[in-house]
Amino acid sequence: MNIHLALSRFLKRYPWRITAAVLLGAGTILAGIGLLASSGYLISAAALRPPILDLMVIIVSVRFFGISRAVLRYSERLLSHDITFRLLLQMRSRFFRALSKTSASRLLGFRSGSLLSSITSDVDELQNYYVRVFTPVIVAVLVTLTSFFFLRAFSPAAAWITLAFLLLNGVAVPVGVRRLARGLGARQRHLRSELSHLWVEHSQGILDIRLYGLQNAYIKRNKELCSEISRLERRQSAVTGLHDGLHSWILFSAAALALFVTAPLVLDGTLSGVMLALVVLSVMASFEATQNLGTAFQYLETTERAAESLLSLTGGVLSFEDRDHTGRDLSDRYKDDNRPAKESGTSNAQAAASLVFDNVRFSYCENPVLDGIGFAIQSREKAALVGPSGSGKSTVVNLLLKFYDPAGGFVSVGDNKLADIPADRVRAMIAVVDQFTYLFQDTLRSNLKIARENADDGDLLQSLQDAHLWSWYQGLEKGLDTQLGEHGKQLSGGERQRMAIARALLRNSPIWILDEPTANLDTITEKAIVKTIRQVTRTRTALWITHRLVQMDYYDRIYVLENGRISERGRHHQLMRRKGWYSDMIRLQSNMLQEEIETA
Ligand SMILES: Nc1ncnc2c1ncn2[C@@H]1O[C@H](COP(=O)(O)OP(=O)(O)O)[C@@H](O)[C@H]1O
Ligand SMILES: [Mg+2]
């Protein structure tokens, strides 16, 4: 079971602490047995009124076991908590690290509520593996064996009876309890994650929920989930209660039977009568070892489920950062696009800002998107990648940023294959402005500084000025310390896109990718933003991705992406002469504009 392997890997880091904690745990229970056994003996022996000196040793033993039990228990708890917190820290940081290395697009498939509950409760659940599953089982085995050999010295029959009842209590009962509680843990986890999803969605969509009068549906669903959860909790408690009842019943039956088989030994003189209480009390005390195994089995299921869901979340990282990649030479098909930088007289720094896709193939799982596309953009050129919606334009960006690994062909930036450049270097060279600009619930300063950590206020203000946010900025009372609110709610669509431009400016990347940066904007704002971007990318390489074909004679090269291939390539006037998607689209758009003017 690889889940147990994964979990025990965490435990392996603290071999000495865990050994000590297990020994202290076993020691505590054994001291309990010692305490009851010696007290039983002391009471019986004292009843015969021997000289007090004869009792000194046993009195000291009672004291010793009493004190040592408390000391051992205290140390065991201290150490166990220490281990638990260390494990929790490790698990949380490992999980978070794995999560942030997972490709961003992978996480999009998960609902934020489930993610939230995974990050918090699933990780917390894992700590139970050590406290409630791992340690109790080992302690139970140690104590069962010790008490068996101890009892055998006095009454072999009682020893065997105890062993049998301990197995019943430690194995048969927990297995039965687990069967009764089967699925309860998984179902509760599922419902809790549903609940947190509901709450997250409710708080994020509160405006639309009110607007469309959906409050009652949410209230009803919340009530359903809560009552189902408490129904399951009640069932779980009933199972726990049954388990506790069985535990007591088995314990007293074992004690009664042990008395029954040991009494004849006293009668025929094999065993001294004062030992009888010692035997019976030891039997009772040894059941402390198996007391918690029922819960161990219950927690086993919940920890397994939690571990499963965490592993599924972080498993299979998709980027190819650490892998070897051997690309082939550029094919001849688009030789023209790829004039060597030196021949055209560009400097090395500029050569570093060129982009090449060579025969790149790519599919999302079974869904083929790119079927051998090739194009090249020289340093400082302005290129456009156009094509129908869903044709794979944004996928080109995902490959360029190393979020995914091409299935064939290669991508290169400057003189290097992408596979040979570390992902963070690639991402530093390429600035992306797309239609969704994520703003953090933080100050304007922090939102800008994510682009360049060591930027001073002067740099930040300069970037705001260049991104044409200056007049907006001057209206802010708190300047750079202004809070932008959750998801930057206090900004208009145009302002948010300008924030993205300001960030890209701070990055100072030589290559800019504009993936439909104006898709969510009105026409007037769109024009202004396009103008700003064209200004700031004058000395840079820019790849514009769009399905709206306006002012197309601006571009040095235009590529049409259709059905997974580059179907047309050239400048605006060249493409207009061909009868393809491009000229059709331009005509369609101008007809639509005409219609709009006529109906107006
Ligand atoms: N993360 C993803 N997982 C699976 N399929 C995806 C993913 N992203 C995009 N797709 C699919 O790949 C195709 C191309 O998408 P995309 O590159 O976003 O197109 P475009 O940007 O040209 O509109 C679409 O059919 C889309 O449904
Ligand atoms: Mg897209």
Side-chain angles (χ1 to χ4, degrees):
M1 259 198 204
N2 77 43
I3 285 177
H4 290 273
L5 265 175
L7 288 173
S8 58
R9 209 166 286 151
F10 284 106
L11 302 185
K12 268 194 209 143
R13 302 197 68 174
Y14 309 109
W16 297 116
R17 280 170 206 271
I18 289 176
T19 313
V22 165
L23 290 178
L24 286 170
T28 307
I29 299 177
L30 291 175
I33 298 174
L35 180 65
L36 273 190
S38 52
S39 320
Y41 178 82
L42 178 62
I43 293 167
S44 312
L48 301 178
R49 299 203 194 173
I52 191 78
L53 266 181
D54 287 1
L55 294 177
M56 272 328 268
V57 173
I58 197 71
I59 290 171
V60 171
S61 305
V62 172
R63 274 191 201 149
F64 168 76
F65 285 124
I67 294 170
S68 64
R69 180 172 159 82
V71 171
L72 286 170
R73 171 64 82 213
Y74 181 79
S75 330
E76 185 263 329
R77 282 290 131 101
L78 204 62
L79 197 54
S80 288
H81 277 86
D82 175 71
I83 295 168
T84 305
F85 290 133
R86 280 168 198 269
L87 287 173
L88 211 50
L89 174 69
Q90 238 197 78
M91 285 168 175
R92 283 202 183 119
S93 58
R94 280 255 195 115
F95 175 65
F96 200 84
R97 200 164 57 205
L99 204 59
S100 61
K101 292 222 166 152
T102 306
S103 165
S105 29
R106 199 182 139 70
L107 295 180
L108 293 180
F110 290 89
R111 304 183 303 187
S112 48
S114 336
L115 263 184
L116 200 67
S117 80
S118 283
I119 293 168
T120 53
S121 61
D122 283 354
V123 175
D124 288 352
E125 203 79 68
L126 288 189
Q127 66 175 307
N128 289 325
Y129 185 71
Y130 166 74
V131 207
R132 308 208 192 249
V133 180
F134 181 81
T135 323
V137 169
I138 297 189
V139 167
V141 171
L142 287 178
V143 172
T144 302
L145 290 177
T146 315
S147 57
F148 171 73
F149 287 112
F150 173 71
L151 283 169
R152 215 176 55 163
F154 301 97
S155 161
W160 284 108
I161 285 170
T162 308
L163 185 65
F165 277 73
L166 279 174
L167 286 177
L168 186 69
N169 199 31
V171 181
V173 170
V175 168
V177 163
R178 190 179 178 188
R179 182 158 286 189
L180 279 179
R182 173 161 296 159
L184 279 183
R187 182 117 188 83
Q188 280 185 56
R189 258 181 36 79
H190 172 75
L191 289 175
R192 290 225 170 82
S193 128
E194 282 277 297
L195 192 67
S196 70
H197 171 68
L198 185 84
W199 286 15
V200 167
E201 206 171 57
H202 182 262
S203 70
Q204 285 181 353
I206 185 81
L207 276 180
D208 292 79
I209 290 172
R210 292 250 172 95
L211 211 55
Y212 293 102
L214 298 175
Q215 302 96 307
N216 287 338
Y218 272 82
I219 292 171
K220 186 164 160 257
R221 181 80 188 122
N222 181 55
K223 205 172 153 195
E224 279 168 8
L225 285 172
C226 291
S227 60
E228 180 65 8
I229 289 174
S230 63
R231 194 182 67 81
L232 292 177
E233 277 169 349
R234 273 200 302 277
R235 250 186 79 187
Q236 183 112 36
S237 308
V239 173
T240 311
L242 177 71
H243 171 256
D244 291 348
L246 279 174
H247 170 77
S248 309
W249 188 79
I250 290 172
L251 183 158
F252 289 113
S253 308
L257 266 177
L259 185 63
F260 186 72
V261 296
T262 312
L265 300 182
V266 177
L267 289 179
D268 67 19
T270 329
L271 190 72
S272 149
V274 288
M275 292 297 182
L276 197 58
L278 177 148
V279 171
V280 175
L281 289 177
S282 308
V283 170
M284 289 172 75
S286 58
F287 276 80
E288 191 186 344
T290 54
Q291 189 176 355
N292 294 323
L293 290 185
T295 18
F297 275 73
Q298 276 181 46
Y299 275 103
L300 191 59
E301 178 175 334
T302 35
T303 32
E304 277 172 359
R305 291 289 157 277
E308 241 168 45
S309 98
L310 288 179
L311 289 180
S312 80
L313 204 56
T314 53
V317 177
L318 288 162
S319 87
F320 62 149
E321 266 135 73
D322 302 316
R323 254 185 278 158
D324 245 338
H325 190 93
T326 46
R328 292 175 300 102
D329 280 329
L330 282 177
S331 62
D332 291 338
R333 264 171 302 142
Y334 39 94
K335 229 176 188 168
D336 287 351
D337 297 337
N338 200 48
R339 291 178 306 257
K342 285 186 194 96
E343 277 174 32
S344 55
T346 45
S347 74
N348 273 339
Q350 285 171 333
S354 61
L355 282 181
V356 174
F357 269 63
D358 179 34
N359 198 20
V360 170
R361 279 178 288 114
F362 180 76
S363 327
Y364 289 107
C365 304
E366 298 294 290
N367 171 21
V369 180
L370 303 177
D371 179 23
I373 64 160
F375 61 84
I377 302 162
Q378 298 297 302
S379 211
R380 289 179 173 225
E381 271 183 349
K382 315 294 173 254
L385 181 63
V386 300
S389 178
S391 58
K393 303 183 295 297
S394 300
T395 304
V396 165
V397 184
N398 285 340
L399 293 177
L400 202 50
L401 295 174
K402 291 187 77 160
F403 286 139
Y404 291 95
D405 181 0
F410 66 86
V411 181
S412 57
V413 175
D415 297 329
N416 297 309
K417 299 240 169 70
L418 212 52
D420 302 329
I421 320 176
D424 49 355
R425 272 232 355 251
V426 174
R427 291 168 200 166
M429 288 170 73
I430 300 174
V432 180
V433 181
D434 62 16
Q435 49 184 305
F436 305 106
T437 302
Y438 193 88
L439 295 174
F440 294 89
Q441 184 170 9
D442 206 337
T443 57
L444 173 59
R445 181 184 282 104
S446 315
N447 266 291
L448 287 170
K449 272 189 149 187
I450 62 158
R452 201 200 313 164
E453 211 177 345
N454 58 5
D456 57 31
D457 285 1
D459 300 329
L460 302 185
L461 296 181
Q462 184 64 49
S463 75
L464 290 173
Q465 225 158 16
D466 293 344
H468 295 227
L469 274 172
W470 195 243
S471 55
W472 168 77
Y473 174 75
Q474 281 176 322
L476 299 177
E477 267 174 35
K478 291 190 181 161
L480 288 171
D481 294 316
T482 307
Q483 287 284 340
L484 298 188
E486 197 178 9
H487 305 311
K489 271 182 193 149
Q490 289 151 31
L491 273 71
S492 74
E495 285 156 0
R496 294 163 62 97
Q497 292 312 82
R498 290 190 184 282
M499 278 293 290
I501 298 170
R503 278 176 178 170
L505 283 167
L506 283 166
R507 271 249 133 158
N508 201 16
S509 310
I511 301 172
W512 282 43
I513 308 289
L514 297 313
D515 187 358
E516 317 221 21
T518 57
N520 297 325
L521 303 178
D522 60 274
T523 323
I524 295 174
T525 317
E526 168 171 26
K527 272 203 170 138
I529 297 271
V530 167
K531 196 169 155 205
T532 308
I533 299 179
R534 287 185 177 174
Q535 271 170 10
V536 297
T537 54
R538 226 177 16 240
T539 56
R540 297 175 158 106
T541 308
L543 172 62
W544 289 75
I545 292 176
T546 176
H547 62 264
R548 277 192 254 177
L549 310 179
V550 281
Q551 298 181 331
M552 296 304 286
D553 44 7
Y554 164 80
Y555 299 103
D556 300 311
R557 300 168 192 280
I558 300 168
Y559 297 100
V560 178
L561 180 60
E562 227 186 333
N563 302 323
R565 293 181 157 272
I566 302 287
S567 58
E568 298 168 56
R569 62 184 73 223
R571 292 193 62 114
H572 174 66
H573 61 271
Q574 295 168 324
L575 294 182
M576 283 307 286
R577 280 203 294 272
R578 296 185 44 157
K579 295 274 166 283
W581 182 89
Y582 186 84
S583 61
D584 285 352
M585 205 58 194
I586 295 270
R587 219 162 293 129
L588 188 71
Q589 287 190 356
S590 73
N591 286 348
M592 275 163 59
L593 198 66
Q594 195 63 38
E595 267 171 38
E596 263 173 45
I597 294 168
E598 279 164 15
T599 48

